[in-house]
């Protein structure tokens, strides 16, 4: 099955082609949905098969390359369309195809009745295709192909309802913003790739990582490569400073937010850093930068999420915050902890978004939580699964989120320093608080919706995926129980991924002087913080709602700052966007394009025209003039004869 | 200064001056008359070069037949006299004269300063003999019989052509 | 020969140039024709001069043919002029400009 891994990429491509070419002719939604989801299901099965087969192999043989064909062979650059099946890419493949399959099934219900039903599934399949390319690639260029591809699909899917208004702009403006901000990150990624090729002479993972130790490379080169690659990751994974596109990406349909902007695409940056762990381990200064950026982003986004009223916006900022956690983990050298959090986050964040979608659907597209309240009675299944996900993300044991978040906090204390831990712990408190604010305001308390809305539970095709994800959110963490509890074998998840990161770990030479006791203490502290956050939220939003409003009035300035997202968008607009647009318009367009380039082209044309207009006059029709010209020729010929004598 | 030189200068002067005058007169008839004078001077030069037959033929054919034809046509058509030389298209005319002058200078250079491969200096007796009608006749009817016949055809074609072109329309 | 051949040649070149100037500048078609005859005659002079100085009859023979051709050409050309005159009632070359764009 390992050799057939290309099928995981081929199946979504087939789905994309069938739905894309014939989708508009197929009038039956069910058929389109089955084709669209079915191909992802098949990909999932192939991934599972490859996973089982890899488990059966001894540890040294767990990395397999499946070479399909040679893509580029130019000079010294040799790029193959080849897939690397190893522990890390299998984990990611399982996540992408598994969660992707569930979300596809959910979309059959969510997008029911949409006039472009087929287009949605076409784009979703295209997305899975490019994402799988990204994950399975065995060289930088193929990874970049997938990288760009998911950016494209993100744009297509954000602006799916292209004629719909979204805040002060249209949905396609939001799509464009995502694409452009991503592009800035991609520029950094490209620079990193160029440097890698220049330094190591290859873009193949195996060759590059093999040469990291062998070649004698200056430290600054490693630093530059690492920082450029990280810039690419900040663009794709929405970290500071390139996170601004993610909240606006909520303009797209909710399954899109769940799949792309929670579970898969945004984790591409984390995956890339993990894959290139050896390079980052060779640039410890940049690892520090990553850790700081991750921690600050986590805190920053969590504060914004405290006061938002749009249910999807809260979840979007929560995603940015959780991604910050993942980068914090990577930055302190806990690579497998970061990947572990990717996995659990995929489960509970997708579940949160799908649950939100369920609510939005039944409340007829109203996304303002101030109009919700008491929906548990009307939508029990959605409420229960949403509760499970909220508990998971808050880090309540024994749900999955507890294990992954705690691992990150422990490692940031042990490998990093206490400041990282403090920021992470405080953010965990905020996370629990705003998640349960969301839960209480939506599902508990008195209903605040008008008589015209009739909220109802969603159909089975939407609730069954919710339940599947809820189960995964609940039990998914057991695979990563820390060594503390599971005995001699150690953390199963970390053990599984150990061969991938062993070179990086060796290079970082991390030495942890802390004991098991410290770990248990920190675990207890984070549980207390999580429960505390939930209790505070309960107190405010269930018992005494006017605490919230009076706090908002008392701290008006801070509230305004948070509610306006620290004015980051406005700052970017004023300092970067507007000058560029103005320059493009007034200088590049009006002068360079219209005057200079068009002028040259038109000038050449009119020059030819005027020359020919004048030369045309030679033909006067009077024979004597022709004779005159002939005589002129004779004079020249004689001159030539004389000169050659 | 031998007689030959004097005669050469005389004929050359008459020929050149009449040529120049021919092209500058306004009336076509006067131009034709000056051309006849030119032909006469040329005939004299031919005689100086011991080409008796050609000289006579020149007078008979050119001056006697062709120029008469020209005069007939001029009288028939009665074209109006041209205006002064430089009134119409002065720029073109001056340019043409300039080019002509340049070519003349180039030809002069070639004649005087180039080094021809051959050396044309035969004897007087040979040139006298070459110019007699017997010699020309012998060459014409033996070595060059083909061009002779072709010339005949050419004249036939020209006759018929001229006849048809100038004829009035058939009734 | 006491007069060197170059003199005959330069004279003939001069007459040729005069003929060229006449062709290029005169507006009356008949006078243009006469200038062409002048050019032909200058060529004749050159050939006779060479024939005489080299003692060969071939040059003079060629002159004979040139005259024949000149006669034929004059006849036909004048016929054309007459035909043109019938259509346009003018022999002014400037007004017969149909060979153009």
């Amino acid at each position: 099955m390992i050799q057939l891994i290309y099928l995981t990429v081929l199946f979504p491509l087939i789905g994309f082609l069938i739905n894309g070419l014939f989708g508009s002719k197929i009038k039956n939604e069910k058929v389109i949905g089955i084709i669209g989801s079915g191909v992802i299901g098949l990909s999932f099965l192939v991934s599972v098969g490859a996973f089982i087969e890899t488990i059966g192999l001894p540890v040294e043989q767990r990395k397999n390359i499946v070479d399909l064909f040679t893509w580029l062979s130019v000079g010294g650059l040799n790029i193959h369309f080849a897939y690397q099946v190893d522990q890390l890419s299998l984990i990611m493949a399982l996540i992408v195809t598994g969660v992707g399959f569930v979300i596809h099934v959910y979309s059959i219900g969510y997008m029911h009745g949409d006039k472009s039903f087929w287009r949605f599934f076409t784009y979703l399949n295209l997305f899975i295709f490019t994402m799988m390319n990204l994950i399975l690639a065995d060289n930088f260029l193929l990874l970049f192909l997938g990288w760009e591809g998911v950016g494209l699909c993100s744009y297509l899917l954000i602006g799916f309802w292209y004629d719909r208004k979204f805040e002060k702009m249209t949905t396609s403006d939001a799509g464009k913003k995502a694409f452009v901000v991503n592009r800035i990150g991609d520029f950094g990624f490209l620079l990193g790739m160029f440097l890698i090729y220049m330094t190591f002479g290859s873009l193949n993972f195996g060759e590059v990582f093999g040469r990291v130790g062998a070649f004698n490379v200056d430290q600054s080169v490693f630093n530059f490569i690492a920082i450029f690659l990280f810039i690419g990751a900040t663009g794709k994974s929405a970290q500071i400073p390139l996170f601004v596109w993610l909240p606006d990406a909520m303009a797209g349909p909710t399954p899109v937010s769940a799949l792309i902007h929670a579970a898969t695409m945004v984790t591409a940056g984390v995956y890339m850093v993990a894959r290139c762990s050896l390079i980052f381990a060779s640039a410890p200064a940049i690892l520090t930068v990553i850790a700081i950026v991750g921690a600050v982003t986590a805190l920053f986004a969590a504060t914004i999420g405290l006061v938002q009223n749009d249910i999807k916006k809260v979840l979007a900022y929560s995603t940015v915050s959780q991604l910050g956690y993942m980068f914090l983990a990577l930055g302190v050298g806990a690579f497998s902890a970061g990947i572990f959090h990717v996995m659990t986050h995929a489960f509970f964040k997708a579940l949160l978004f799908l649950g939100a979608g369920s609510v939005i659907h039944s409340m007829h597209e109203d996304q303002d939580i101030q109009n919700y309240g008491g929906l548990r009675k009307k939508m029990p299944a959605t409420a229960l699964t949403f509760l499970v996900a909220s508990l998971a993300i808050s880090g309540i044991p024994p749900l999955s989120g507890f294990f992954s978040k705690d691992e990150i906090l422990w490692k940031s204390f042990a490998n990093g320093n206490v400041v990282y831990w403090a920021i992470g712990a405080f953010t965990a408190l905020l996370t629990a608080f705003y998640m349960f604010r969301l839960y209480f305001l939506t599902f508990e308390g008195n209903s605040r919706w008008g008589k015209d809305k009739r909220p109802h539970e969603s159909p089975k095709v939407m609730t069954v995926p919710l339940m599947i994800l809820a189960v995964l959110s609940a039990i998914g963490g057991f695979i990563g129980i820390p060594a503390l509890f599971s005995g001699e074998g150690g953390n199963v998840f970390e053990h599984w991924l150990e061969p991938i990161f062993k070179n990086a770990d060796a290079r970082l030479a991390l030495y942890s002087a802390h004991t098991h006791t410290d770990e248990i203490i920190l675990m207890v502290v984070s549980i207390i913080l999580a429960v505390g956050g939930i209790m505070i939220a309960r107190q405010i939003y269930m018992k005494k709602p006017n605490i919230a409003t009076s706090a908002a009035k008392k701290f008006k300035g801070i509230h305004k700052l948070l509610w306006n997202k620290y004015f980051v968008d406005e700052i970017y607009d004023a300092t970067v966007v507007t000058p560029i647009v103005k320059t493009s318009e007034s200088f590049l367009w009006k002068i360079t394009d219209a005057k200079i380039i068009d002028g040259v082209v038109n000038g050449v044309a009119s020059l030819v025209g005027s020359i020919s207009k004048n030369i045309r006059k030679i033909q006067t029709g009077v024979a004597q003039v022709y004779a005159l010209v002939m005589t002129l020729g004779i004079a020249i010929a004689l001159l030539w004869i004389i000169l050659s004598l | 200064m031998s007689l030959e030189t004097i005669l050469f200068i005389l004929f050359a002067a008459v020929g050149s001056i009449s040529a120049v005058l021919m092209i500058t007169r306004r009336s076509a008839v006067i131009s034709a008359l000056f051309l006849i004078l030119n032909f006469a001077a040329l005939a004299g030069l031919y005689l100086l070069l011991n080409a008796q037959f050609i000289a006579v033929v020149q007078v008979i054919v050119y001056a006697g037949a062709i120029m008469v034809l020209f005069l007939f046509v001029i009288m028939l058509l009665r074209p109006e006299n041209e205006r002064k030389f430089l009134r119409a298209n002065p720029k073109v005319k001056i340019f043409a004269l300039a080019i002509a002058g340049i070519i003349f200078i180039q030809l002069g250079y070639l004649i005087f300063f180039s080094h021809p491969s051959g050396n044309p200096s035969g004897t007087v007796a040979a040139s006298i003999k070459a110019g007699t009608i017997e010699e020309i006749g012998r060459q014409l009817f033996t070595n060059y019989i083909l061009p002779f016949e072709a010339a005949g055809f050419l004249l036939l074609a020209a006759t018929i052509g001229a006849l048809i072109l100038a004829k009035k329309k058939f009734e | 020969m006491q007069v060197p051949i170059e003199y005959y040649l330069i004279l003939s070149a001069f007459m040729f140039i005069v003929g060229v100037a006449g062709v290029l500048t005169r507006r009356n078609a008949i006078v243009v024709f006469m200038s062409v005859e002048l050019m032909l005659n200058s060529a004749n002079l050159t050939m006779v001069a060479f024939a005489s100085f080299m003692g060969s009859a071939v040059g003079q023979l060629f002159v004979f043919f040139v005259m024949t051709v000149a006669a034929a050409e004059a006849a036909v050309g004048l016929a054309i002029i007459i035909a043109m005159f019938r259509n346009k009632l003018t022999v002014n070359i400037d007004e017969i400009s149909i060979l153009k764009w």
Side-chain angles (χ1 to χ4, degrees):
Chain A
M1 205 49 103
I2 291 182
Q3 293 303 317
L4 295 178
I5 196 70
Y6 62 89
L7 286 178
T8 55
V9 185
L10 189 61
F11 283 142
L13 182 64
I14 292 177
F16 161 69
L17 287 171
I18 295 181
N19 270 333
L21 292 172
F22 306 116
S24 52
K25 311 265 183 359
I26 304 176
K27 297 296 174 202
N28 190 338
E29 275 184 6
K30 252 202 180 142
V31 171
I32 298 176
I34 290 180
I35 294 176
S37 318
V39 290
I40 309 296
L42 288 174
S43 294
F44 179 64
L45 289 175
V46 173
S47 308
V48 169
F51 182 68
I52 294 177
E53 191 176 332
T54 309
I55 291 184
L57 290 173
V59 177
E60 313 77 50
Q61 293 178 24
R62 283 193 183 158
K63 174 172 141 174
N64 289 304
I65 309 271
V66 178
D67 194 334
L68 290 182
F69 55 90
T70 305
W71 183 16
L72 286 177
S73 189
V74 179
L77 184 63
N78 236 311
I79 304 285
H80 290 245
F81 225 92
Y83 293 138
Q84 179 164 325
V85 184
D86 64 9
Q87 299 92 321
L88 178 60
S89 54
L90 276 174
I91 295 280
M92 296 297 296
L94 286 172
I95 296 174
V96 170
T97 50
V99 175
F101 173 65
V102 165
I103 295 181
H104 274 72
V105 172
Y106 177 90
S107 307
I108 300 179
Y110 188 80
M111 301 298 290
H112 170 71
D114 193 288
K115 67 176 163 49
S116 302
F117 190 82
W118 60 277
R119 195 156 55 90
F120 189 73
F121 278 91
T122 312
Y123 289 158
L124 275 188
N125 280 356
L126 182 67
F127 170 77
I128 300 285
F129 165 68
T130 48
M131 188 74 198
M132 293 307 289
N133 253 323
L134 196 161
I135 296 173
L136 292 173
D138 91 321
N139 58 70
F140 277 98
L141 198 60
L142 189 54
L143 189 148
F144 192 64
L145 175 72
W147 191 272
E148 293 286 340
V150 296
L152 170 70
C153 295
S154 172
Y155 161 78
L156 288 172
L157 283 163
I158 292 175
F160 181 71
W161 292 311
Y162 44 81
D163 43 11
R164 199 179 277 203
K165 274 213 158 326
F166 175 73
E167 290 179 6
K168 293 200 203 75
M169 45 184 178
T170 62
T171 54
S172 42
D173 286 330
K176 274 186 270 182
K177 183 173 176 180
F179 210 9
V180 172
V181 175
N182 254 276
R183 209 78 189 99
I184 300 175
D186 293 344
F187 181 57
F189 191 81
L190 269 175
L191 289 177
M193 264 176 31
F194 291 155
L195 263 183
I196 289 177
Y197 184 66
M198 263 173 58
T199 319
F200 297 109
S202 165
L203 286 179
N204 186 296
F205 287 151
E207 285 171 20
V208 172
F209 298 147
R211 292 175 192 174
V212 168
F215 280 31
N216 197 1
V217 182
D218 197 36
Q219 179 64 39
S220 62
V221 175
F222 274 126
N223 286 347
F224 273 114
I225 294 178
I227 195 68
F228 283 139
L229 289 178
F230 181 57
I231 291 177
T234 56
K236 192 63 80 187
S237 298
Q239 297 295 290
I240 292 177
L242 295 174
F243 67 94
V244 289
W245 62 274
L246 191 58
D248 288 330
M250 297 300 117
T254 313
V256 170
S257 308
L259 179 63
I260 299 186
H261 307 128
T264 48
M265 183 180 100
V266 292
T267 58
V270 181
Y271 165 75
M272 186 266 290
V273 173
R275 177 60 83 191
C276 303
S277 53
L278 189 55
I279 293 182
F280 285 98
S282 312
I286 305 303
L287 273 185
T288 314
V289 171
I290 294 180
I292 295 176
V293 169
V296 171
T297 306
L299 181 59
F300 181 82
T303 54
I304 299 180
L306 288 177
V307 300
Q308 298 299 316
N309 285 328
D310 183 329
I311 186 171
K312 282 178 73 172
K313 278 276 164 65
V314 177
L315 293 176
Y317 284 107
S318 169
T319 305
V320 177
S321 179
Q322 297 299 308
L323 288 168
Y325 269 112
M326 294 177 215
F327 279 103
L328 173 60
L330 296 173
V332 297
F335 297 110
S336 54
I339 299 294
F340 188 31
H341 200 56
V342 168
M343 188 173 86
T344 58
H345 177 261
F347 297 149
F348 54 68
K349 193 44 73 62
L351 175 54
L352 283 171
F353 268 110
L354 294 186
S358 186
V359 170
I360 293 173
H361 213 359
S362 79
M363 297 294 283
H364 288 283
E365 316 301 332
D366 183 6
Q367 295 179 227
D368 194 338
I369 59 176
Q370 293 169 311
N371 297 341
Y372 288 171
L375 285 173
R376 183 160 61 91
K377 300 183 194 65
K378 301 284 180 186
M379 316 173 63
T382 306
L384 181 61
T385 52
F386 202 88
L387 179 61
V388 171
S390 305
L391 288 172
I393 194 176
S394 306
I396 305 290
L399 279 72
S400 57
F402 165 69
F403 290 110
S404 62
K405 192 181 287 195
D406 197 71
E407 186 74 19
I408 295 179
L409 288 175
W410 162 241
K411 282 276 158 56
S412 61
F413 179 76
N415 295 346
N417 58 55
V418 74
V419 178
Y420 289 147
W421 177 86
I423 296 179
F426 182 59
T427 309
L429 173 67
L430 293 179
T431 307
F433 175 73
Y434 67 66
M435 280 315 304
F436 273 90
R437 165 179 178 263
L438 195 62
Y439 175 76
F440 287 135
L441 281 178
T442 306
F443 292 106
E444 303 287 345
N446 302 323
S447 54
R448 294 186 293 279
W449 25 276
K451 288 277 187 297
D452 55 331
K453 300 227 198 302
R454 274 182 294 277
H456 52 276
E457 185 57 88
S458 304
K460 279 253 183 0
V461 76
M462 284 165 73
T463 52
V464 167
L466 292 179
M467 289 182 220
I468 297 177
L469 286 173
V471 168
L472 285 171
S473 304
I475 65 169
F478 289 129
I479 202 172
I481 292 185
L484 199 50
F485 295 139
S486 63
E488 278 312 311
N491 187 333
V492 174
F493 193 82
E494 194 175 338
H495 203 59
W496 166 256
L497 285 179
E498 196 186 325
I500 308 268
F501 301 124
K502 86 172 169 279
N503 289 335
D505 286 337
R507 195 166 274 250
L508 285 175
L510 294 166
Y511 177 63
S512 175
H514 302 274
T515 65
H516 282 317
T517 328
D518 294 334
E519 199 175 338
I520 298 186
I521 294 178
L522 289 181
M523 218 180 272
V524 170
V525 170
S526 35
I527 297 178
I528 293 177
L529 287 173
V531 173
I534 298 177
M535 286 301 157
I536 299 177
R538 183 154 178 268
Q539 186 68 8
I540 296 181
Y541 291 104
M542 291 279 283
K543 303 283 173 55
K544 296 200 172 70
N546 39 342
I547 294 184
T549 40
S550 61
K553 277 205 198 54
K554 219 157 83 169
F555 300 105
K556 207 171 190 179
I558 300 181
H559 184 259
K560 189 156 179 242
L561 188 65
L562 293 179
W563 203 75
N564 279 307
K565 323 162 242 146
Y566 294 93
F567 295 105
V568 173
D569 276 321
E570 285 77 5
I571 295 175
Y572 279 168
D573 200 42
T575 53
V576 178
V577 176
T578 314
I580 290 181
V581 170
K582 284 269 177 309
T583 314
S584 304
E585 218 178 83
S586 61
F587 179 64
L588 288 176
W589 170 38
K590 293 212 175 95
I591 297 185
T592 318
D593 194 28
K595 288 220 178 77
I596 298 181
I597 296 181
D598 279 352
V600 166
V601 172
N602 288 344
V604 167
S606 64
L607 184 69
V608 171
S610 62
I611 289 179
S612 56
K613 202 163 71 164
N614 287 321
I615 290 186
R616 185 180 57 171
K617 293 186 190 149
I618 289 183
Q619 278 196 311
T620 54
V622 179
Q624 272 181 328
V625 176
Y626 297 164
L628 176 59
V629 176
M630 212 164 70
T631 321
L632 183 64
I634 292 174
I636 295 175
L638 278 176
L639 184 69
W640 189 53
I641 291 179
I642 290 179
L643 286 176
S644 69
L645 272 181
Chain B
M1 188 83 75
S2 65
L3 182 63
E4 192 187 341
T5 318
I6 294 175
L7 283 176
F8 173 75
I9 292 174
L10 179 68
F11 285 135
V14 170
S16 327
I17 292 173
S18 62
V20 171
L21 285 176
M22 180 211 94
I23 69 164
T24 53
R25 295 303 96 193
R26 284 197 269 165
S27 155
V29 175
I30 306 290
S31 294
L33 291 177
F34 272 119
L35 191 60
I36 294 178
L37 185 58
N38 188 332
F39 289 162
L42 273 178
L45 282 171
Y46 289 155
L47 280 174
L48 273 177
L49 288 167
N50 297 318
Q52 309 93 313
F53 178 62
I54 297 296
V56 171
V57 168
Q58 164 93 352
V59 173
I60 294 176
V61 171
Y62 256 114
I66 294 179
M67 289 318 295
V68 168
L69 183 59
F70 265 102
L71 278 169
F72 267 146
V73 173
I74 291 174
M75 298 296 182
L76 181 67
L77 299 184
R78 284 285 177 161
E80 52 186 48
N81 287 345
E82 274 188 45
R83 282 170 284 194
K84 231 163 113 59
F85 185 61
L86 285 178
R87 185 165 296 179
N89 314 339
K91 280 192 256 185
V92 173
K93 290 200 172 131
I94 295 193
F95 183 59
L97 289 178
I99 297 284
I102 289 174
I103 294 183
F104 181 58
I105 295 173
Q106 288 173 327
L107 284 171
Y109 178 81
L110 280 173
I111 291 170
F112 282 107
F113 298 114
S114 68
H115 302 284
S117 49
N119 195 6
S121 56
T123 61
V124 177
S127 70
I128 291 180
K129 178 169 179 292
T132 58
I133 194 167
E134 286 112 326
E135 190 56 36
I136 290 182
R138 181 172 304 126
Q139 290 291 330
L140 190 64
F141 287 107
T142 53
N143 287 335
Y144 297 95
I145 188 77
L146 189 57
F148 175 69
E149 299 294 335
F153 269 114
L154 177 68
L155 286 171
L156 176 65
T159 309
I160 297 177
L163 198 66
I164 295 197
L165 279 172
K167 205 177 173 25
K168 279 210 174 84
K169 287 280 174 215
F170 287 109
E171 310 302 324
Chain C
M1 324 293 166
Q2 280 186 332
V3 181
I5 191 174
E6 285 88 3
Y7 287 16
Y8 285 103
L9 294 183
I10 200 71
L11 171 67
S12 127
F14 180 73
M15 279 173 54
F16 185 80
I17 289 303
V18 169
V20 167
V23 165
L24 295 180
T25 51
R26 290 298 297 248
R27 281 170 52 222
N28 193 330
I30 302 179
V31 176
V32 167
F33 244 108
M34 291 198 288
S35 307
V36 170
E37 295 296 328
L38 185 57
M39 283 156 70
L40 281 166
N41 272 293
S42 76
N44 284 350
L45 179 59
T46 310
M47 277 188 269
V48 169
F50 271 111
S52 163
F53 273 79
M54 287 163 79
S56 152
V58 179
Q60 299 185 5
L61 199 57
F62 203 75
V63 171
F64 183 78
F65 284 121
V66 169
M67 282 191 198
T68 311
V69 171
E73 166 231 342
V76 174
L78 288 171
I80 291 179
I81 289 182
I82 292 178
M84 211 162 57
F85 182 80
R86 288 226 190 86
N87 279 328
K88 300 245 194 256
L89 289 175
T90 177
V91 290
N92 194 340
I93 289 192
D94 287 343
E95 291 169 28
I96 308 168
S97 57
I98 13 184
L99 266 175
K100 68 175 176 185
W101 49 268

